[in-house]
Amino acid sequence: SVAACPSGSICNNTLGSFECGCPPGYDGTPGNCTECEARTYELAGVCVSCPTGSDSPRGSAEVEACVCLAGYTGPAGGMCVACAAGSFKAGNGSAPCEACPAGSYLNVTGGTQCSACPANTHSPAPQTSAASNATNARVLGSDDITDCICNVGFEGSDGAACAACAEGKYKPINGSSECIECAPG
Protein backbone atom coordinates (compact mmCIF):
# COMPACT_ATOMS: atom_id res chain seq x y z
CA SER A 1 0.00 0.00 0.00
CA VAL A 2 1.12 3.58 -0.67
CA ALA A 3 0.99 6.03 2.27
CA ALA A 4 -0.15 9.56 1.50
CA CYS A 5 -0.13 12.81 3.40
CA PRO A 6 -3.49 14.09 4.69
CA SER A 7 -5.44 16.62 2.65
CA GLY A 8 -4.06 20.16 3.00
CA SER A 9 -0.56 18.84 3.78
CA ILE A 10 2.51 18.50 1.63
CA CYS A 11 4.94 15.62 1.21
CA ASN A 12 8.62 16.34 1.82
CA ASN A 13 10.84 13.63 0.37
CA THR A 14 13.62 12.44 2.65
CA LEU A 15 16.34 9.88 2.00
CA GLY A 16 14.50 6.57 1.65
CA SER A 17 11.23 7.91 3.02
CA PHE A 18 8.97 10.95 3.20
CA GLU A 19 7.63 13.35 5.80
CA CYS A 20 4.26 15.10 5.83
CA GLY A 21 4.10 18.77 6.78
CA CYS A 22 2.12 21.95 6.35
CA PRO A 23 2.78 24.02 3.21
CA PRO A 24 4.78 27.30 3.46
CA GLY A 25 2.69 30.06 5.06
CA TYR A 26 0.76 27.62 7.26
CA ASP A 27 1.22 26.19 10.74
CA GLY A 28 -0.27 23.22 12.60
CA THR A 29 0.07 19.50 12.04
CA PRO A 30 -0.40 17.49 8.84
CA GLY A 31 -4.13 17.23 8.17
CA ASN A 32 -4.79 20.25 10.43
CA CYS A 33 -2.84 23.06 8.73
CA THR A 34 -4.00 26.66 9.23
CA GLU A 35 -3.03 29.57 6.98
CA CYS A 36 -1.01 32.28 8.75
CA GLU A 37 -3.13 35.38 9.40
CA ALA A 38 -2.34 38.83 8.01
CA ARG A 39 0.48 40.58 9.91
CA THR A 40 2.18 37.21 10.52
CA TYR A 41 4.50 34.91 8.60
CA GLU A 42 5.49 31.25 8.93
CA LEU A 43 8.83 30.49 10.57
CA ALA A 44 9.84 26.84 11.02
CA GLY A 45 6.22 25.67 10.90
CA VAL A 46 4.82 28.33 13.28
CA CYS A 47 3.05 31.59 12.43
CA VAL A 48 4.81 34.51 14.16
CA SER A 49 4.03 38.25 14.24
CA CYS A 50 5.61 40.65 11.77
CA PRO A 51 7.95 43.28 13.24
CA THR A 52 6.18 46.27 14.84
CA GLY A 53 4.84 48.77 12.31
CA SER A 54 4.65 46.26 9.46
CA ASP A 55 2.02 44.15 7.72
CA SER A 56 1.88 41.03 5.53
CA PRO A 57 -0.83 39.26 3.56
CA ARG A 58 -2.42 36.02 4.78
CA GLY A 59 -0.31 32.95 4.08
CA SER A 60 3.07 34.69 4.17
CA ALA A 61 5.97 32.25 4.31
CA GLU A 62 8.90 34.58 5.06
CA VAL A 63 9.68 37.68 7.12
CA GLU A 64 10.42 39.65 3.94
CA ALA A 65 6.66 39.55 3.23
CA CYS A 66 6.28 41.96 6.19
CA VAL A 67 6.42 45.50 4.78
CA CYS A 68 6.27 48.78 6.68
CA LEU A 69 2.82 50.31 7.08
CA ALA A 70 1.96 53.79 5.80
CA GLY A 71 3.56 56.30 8.18
CA TYR A 72 6.53 53.97 8.86
CA THR A 73 9.75 53.28 6.96
CA GLY A 74 12.35 50.53 6.92
CA PRO A 75 13.41 47.48 4.95
CA ALA A 76 10.98 44.64 4.16
CA GLY A 77 11.18 42.14 7.02
CA GLY A 78 13.13 44.58 9.19
CA MET A 79 12.43 47.12 11.89
CA CYS A 80 9.99 49.84 10.85
CA VAL A 81 10.37 53.33 12.30
CA ALA A 82 7.59 55.93 12.48
CA CYS A 83 8.05 58.94 10.21
CA ALA A 84 9.13 61.98 12.25
CA ALA A 85 6.76 64.91 12.75
CA GLY A 86 7.01 67.09 9.64
CA SER A 87 7.28 64.03 7.38
CA PHE A 88 4.87 61.39 6.09
CA LYS A 89 4.55 58.20 4.04
CA ALA A 90 1.24 57.60 2.28
CA GLY A 91 1.51 53.90 1.42
CA ASN A 92 2.89 50.57 2.64
CA GLY A 93 6.41 49.55 1.63
CA SER A 94 10.05 50.36 2.20
CA ALA A 95 10.04 53.85 0.64
CA PRO A 96 11.50 56.62 2.80
CA CYS A 97 9.33 59.19 4.56
CA GLU A 98 8.85 62.46 2.65
CA ALA A 99 9.03 65.95 4.12
CA CYS A 100 5.78 67.92 4.25
CA PRO A 101 5.84 70.35 1.31
CA ALA A 102 5.68 74.12 1.64
CA GLY A 103 2.20 75.24 2.72
CA SER A 104 1.60 72.26 5.00
CA TYR A 105 2.61 70.74 8.36
CA LEU A 106 2.30 67.53 10.37
CA ASN A 107 2.63 67.60 14.16
CA VAL A 108 2.51 63.85 14.89
CA THR A 109 4.86 60.93 14.23
CA GLY A 110 3.78 58.09 11.94
CA GLY A 111 1.72 60.38 9.73
CA THR A 112 0.30 59.41 6.35
CA GLN A 113 -0.49 62.90 5.03
CA CYS A 114 0.29 66.50 5.91
CA SER A 115 -2.35 69.11 6.78
CA ALA A 116 -2.75 72.30 4.75
CA CYS A 117 -1.85 75.57 6.46
CA PRO A 118 -4.81 77.84 7.38
CA ALA A 119 -6.14 80.39 4.88
CA ASN A 120 -3.71 83.10 3.70
CA THR A 121 -0.70 81.51 5.43
CA HIS A 122 2.22 79.37 4.32
CA SER A 123 4.95 77.25 5.83
CA PRO A 124 8.49 77.19 4.47
CA ALA A 125 9.84 74.66 1.98
CA PRO A 126 11.48 71.59 3.57
CA GLN A 127 14.97 72.16 5.00
CA THR A 128 17.91 69.77 5.31
CA SER A 129 18.77 69.24 8.98
CA ALA A 130 22.23 70.00 10.28
CA ALA A 131 24.14 66.78 10.90
CA SER A 132 27.67 65.74 11.73
CA ASN A 133 27.96 64.21 8.26
CA ALA A 134 25.94 64.13 5.06
CA THR A 135 24.77 60.53 5.70
CA ASN A 136 22.87 61.58 8.84
CA ALA A 137 21.29 64.72 7.34
CA ARG A 138 17.49 64.56 7.00
CA VAL A 139 15.06 66.69 5.03
CA LEU A 140 12.50 68.11 7.46
CA GLY A 141 9.13 69.70 6.77
CA SER A 142 7.05 71.86 9.09
CA ASP A 143 6.09 70.01 12.27
CA ASP A 144 3.70 72.48 13.90
CA ILE A 145 0.77 74.63 12.79
CA THR A 146 2.62 77.69 14.16
CA ASP A 147 5.11 77.22 11.29
CA CYS A 148 2.25 78.51 9.09
CA ILE A 149 2.75 82.29 9.00
CA CYS A 150 0.71 85.08 7.41
CA ASN A 151 1.44 85.90 3.77
CA VAL A 152 2.46 89.39 2.59
CA GLY A 153 -0.63 91.65 2.74
CA PHE A 154 -2.31 89.62 5.54
CA GLU A 155 -2.20 89.85 9.33
CA GLY A 156 -2.96 87.52 12.21
CA SER A 157 -1.36 85.04 14.59
CA ASP A 158 1.04 82.31 13.50
CA GLY A 159 -0.91 79.09 12.95
CA ALA A 160 -4.29 80.78 12.46
CA ALA A 161 -6.13 82.01 9.37
CA CYS A 162 -4.97 85.51 8.44
CA ALA A 163 -7.09 88.45 7.27
CA ALA A 164 -6.29 90.87 4.46
CA CYS A 165 -4.93 94.25 5.46
CA ALA A 166 -7.68 96.84 5.76
CA GLU A 167 -8.03 99.54 3.10
CA GLY A 168 -5.25 102.10 3.53
CA LYS A 169 -2.88 99.59 5.17
CA TYR A 170 -0.21 97.23 3.86
CA LYS A 171 2.26 94.60 5.04
CA PRO A 172 5.37 94.03 2.91
CA ILE A 173 6.68 90.95 4.76
CA ASN A 174 5.50 87.46 5.75
CA GLY A 175 4.78 86.78 9.41
CA SER A 176 2.57 87.80 12.30
CA SER A 177 3.39 91.51 12.24
CA GLU A 178 0.45 93.89 11.90
CA CYS A 179 -0.43 95.80 8.77
CA ILE A 180 0.85 99.38 8.74
CA GLU A 181 -0.76 102.63 7.59
CA CYS A 182 0.04 103.74 4.05
CA ALA A 183 1.87 107.05 3.81
CA PRO A 184 -0.48 109.98 3.05
CA GLY A 185 -0.61 111.24 -0.47
Side-chain angles (χ1 to χ4, degrees):
S1 81
V2 175
C5 291
S7 176
S9 308
I10 60 170
C11 178
N12 297 311
N13 289 324
T14 60
L15 187 57
S17 187
F18 70 94
E19 185 178 88
C20 295
C22 292
Y26 287 73
D27 72 358
T29 57
N32 192 23
C33 297
T34 305
E35 185 177 35
C36 292
E37 296 291 326
R39 292 197 178 182
T40 68
Y41 65 98
E42 179 257 324
L43 176 66
V46 178
C47 297
V48 295
S49 294
C50 285
T52 301
S54 64
D55 192 12
S56 68
R58 290 179 57 90
S60 295
E62 56 188 21
V63 69
E64 288 78 14
C66 301
V67 297
C68 294
L69 295 167
Y72 291 79
T73 188
M79 185 174 87
C80 297
V81 178
C83 296
S87 65
F88 72 102
K89 192 176 116 214
N92 292 353
S94 58
C97 300
E98 298 177 45
C100 290
S104 66
Y105 70 97
L106 183 60
N107 61 356
V108 297
T109 60
T112 58
Q113 67 180 22
C114 301
S115 298
C117 284
N120 306 313
T121 69
H122 73 280
S123 61
Q127 304 291 317
T128 302
S129 69
S132 56
N133 62 49
T135 305
N136 292 332
R138 294 187 309 151
V139 177
L140 303 172
S142 296
D143 63 359
D144 195 87
I145 193 169
T146 59
D147 292 338
C148 300
I149 60 172
C150 293
N151 294 329
V152 169
F154 293 84
E155 64 183 350
S157 301
D158 292 343
C162 296
C165 293
E167 189 175 329
K169 292 186 172 188
Y170 74 102
K171 189 177 119 206
I173 60 171
N174 294 315
S176 60
S177 59
E178 294 181 9
C179 297
I180 52 178
E181 295 286 335
C182 294

